[in-house]
Amino acid sequence: MSDSNTTDFTNPSTFILLGIPGLEAAYVWISILFCTMYVTAILGNFTVLFTVKTDPSLHGPMYYFLCMLAITDLVESTSIVPKMLSIFWFSSREIDFSSCLTQLYFIHCFSVMESGIFVAMALDRYVAICDPLRHSTILTKSIVAKIGLAMMLRSSIVVLPYPFLVRQWPYCKTNIIPQLYCAHIAVVKLACADIRISSYYGLFVVFCVMGLDAIFIALSYTQILRAIFILPTKDARIKTFGTCISHLCSILAFYIPSLFSLMYRFVQNVPLHFHILIANVYLLMPPVLNPIIYGVRSKQIRDRLLRLLTHKGT
């Protein structure tokens, strides 16, 4: 199918990813930026996984959840960036229908999973600060594994209707997706049918699933702050709060771009290229920043990396 195809078809064999209209002249520089972010995400998250695996002192709930976060970031970024770079470098805009649905599912599934992992990490910080004597008995390896499995099942089930709903709609407008990847709402808008079910379900996932996650995190930190403020000394309060900084920074790196992306979904007269860039930043920033945040803020990971580098240098 050509880019200008607007003939009637019920189930298109391929979609055309539009790219970033109006910024074609800057594709080389944009591709260098996204490629650098992807390589940074791959190296950073694999470094976190390797560091935790090789250091027994890091085999605790917080670092297990951090490994889950790293795996989630690796899968999410890998489901987006290779196709994105092929558009920039080779003008390979076509993506077949099944591949588009698969990409759509992975992107949204692992976004919901990441939100769930942040909830699990907030629970870990809550127990560690508010009930430290029982932390190791409450969050055992078995419980951590069950929480991780629950987050995976929740995201898999919650996002499962997306591709099924997308597949059932007839498409008779165009097969051109105004994005660099197959986002749920971008694909659904191409359908020539009443798509309110898909739209409402998409909003349900955002507000009732990820929104509830954000509320749970906020409640956890309300209790954490209350526990911190009753500590007897200022040094104790600062030291205890310091254990939460990495988690808070990662939460902000995830939810702030997400909020902007959601806001631009409802705002009119926003340039298309700006909306596309915001949507891609929302997906790529957390995988890049999370390993950097934890690498810089976590003394245990920092010390382990220094020992590994020193040992190799010797």
Side-chain angles (χ1 to χ4, degrees):
M1 294 182 182
S2 65
D3 289 1
S4 60
N5 187 357
T6 57
T7 56
D8 289 352
F9 48 90
T10 303
N11 288 308
S13 59
T14 60
F15 283 117
I16 307 296
L17 296 169
L18 186 60
I20 310 178
L23 295 181
E24 289 84 359
Y27 271 10
V28 172
W29 298 109
I30 296 171
S31 69
I32 290 172
L33 173 63
F34 284 149
C35 185
T36 302
M37 292 175 72
Y38 182 55
V39 171
T40 303
I42 294 293
L43 292 177
N45 285 292
F46 270 118
T47 300
V48 168
L49 292 171
F50 176 77
T51 304
V52 174
K53 183 180 184 299
T54 55
D55 191 344
S57 68
L58 299 179
H59 293 180
M62 184 177 79
Y63 296 102
Y64 289 143
F65 289 134
L66 181 57
C67 287
M68 295 178 196
L69 186 65
I71 293 170
T72 301
D73 284 339
L74 285 169
V75 175
E76 185 175 27
S77 57
T78 301
S79 67
I80 302 167
V81 179
K83 181 59 182 177
M84 188 187 302
L85 293 179
S86 74
I87 294 173
F88 291 139
W89 292 342
F90 311 113
S91 297
S92 177
R93 302 175 187 276
E94 288 195 358
I95 182 169
D96 68 69
F97 191 68
S98 297
S99 297
C100 185
L101 295 185
T102 303
Q103 186 188 53
L104 179 153
Y105 179 77
F106 271 83
I107 290 170
H108 293 285
C109 176
F110 281 88
S111 291
V112 173
M113 195 181 301
E114 184 154 353
S115 178
I117 292 170
F118 283 130
V119 173
M121 296 173 87
L123 174 65
D124 170 69
R125 291 298 84 208
Y126 168 77
V127 176
I129 292 172
C130 298
D131 198 358
L133 297 179
R134 299 179 59 205
H135 181 249
S136 60
T137 57
I138 293 174
L139 290 175
T140 61
K141 287 184 179 180
S142 173
I143 294 298
V144 169
K146 288 176 182 177
I147 291 173
L149 181 61
M151 292 300 115
M152 184 176 70
L153 289 175
R154 183 192 73 151
S155 60
S156 300
I157 293 169
V158 164
V159 179
L160 193 60
Y162 277 10
F164 284 101
L165 287 171
V166 169
R167 185 178 286 276
Q168 78 167 2
W169 303 129
Y171 296 88
C172 56
K173 297 178 181 178
T174 178
N175 64 335
I176 301 174
I177 301 173
Q179 262 292 0
L180 285 165
Y181 59 87
C182 292
H184 172 246
I185 196 64
V187 177
V188 165
K189 283 182 176 180
L190 302 183
C192 52
D194 187 348
I195 59 169
R196 282 180 294 179
I197 295 175
S198 286
S199 297
Y200 292 156
Y201 188 75
L203 291 173
F204 164 78
V205 171
V206 170
F207 289 108
C208 295
V209 178
M210 299 175 75
L212 285 177
D213 288 350
I215 291 171
F216 185 87
I217 292 169
L219 291 174
S220 297
Y221 271 95
T222 301
Q223 297 301 314
I224 288 170
L225 289 173
R226 287 179 60 186
I228 288 174
F229 285 134
I230 63 174
L231 292 173
T233 65
K234 182 180 179 180
D235 287 344
R237 290 193 290 270
I238 292 173
K239 184 177 179 180
T240 304
F241 184 71
T243 64
C244 302
I245 294 296
S246 298
H247 183 225
L248 285 171
C249 290
S250 291
I251 288 171
L252 292 175
F254 177 78
Y255 281 104
I256 288 178
S258 175
L259 185 63
F260 275 104
S261 180
L262 180 64
M263 182 179 69
Y264 284 114
R265 178 175 170 178
F266 298 102
V267 175
Q268 302 296 323
N269 301 322
V270 176
L272 181 59
H273 66 268
F274 189 74
H275 175 76
I276 293 172
L277 287 172
I278 287 289
N280 283 276
V281 167
Y282 153 59
L283 291 173
L284 288 178
M285 284 300 285
V288 173
L289 292 180
N290 287 336
I292 295 173
I293 291 168
Y294 277 94
V296 170
R297 289 293 314 173
S298 175
K299 186 176 184 299
Q300 294 94 325
I301 291 180
R302 202 166 59 242
D303 289 347
R304 176 59 179 169
L305 282 174
L306 287 173
R307 288 200 303 272
L308 285 171
L309 293 172
T310 304
H311 177 71
K312 287 184 178 181
T314 304

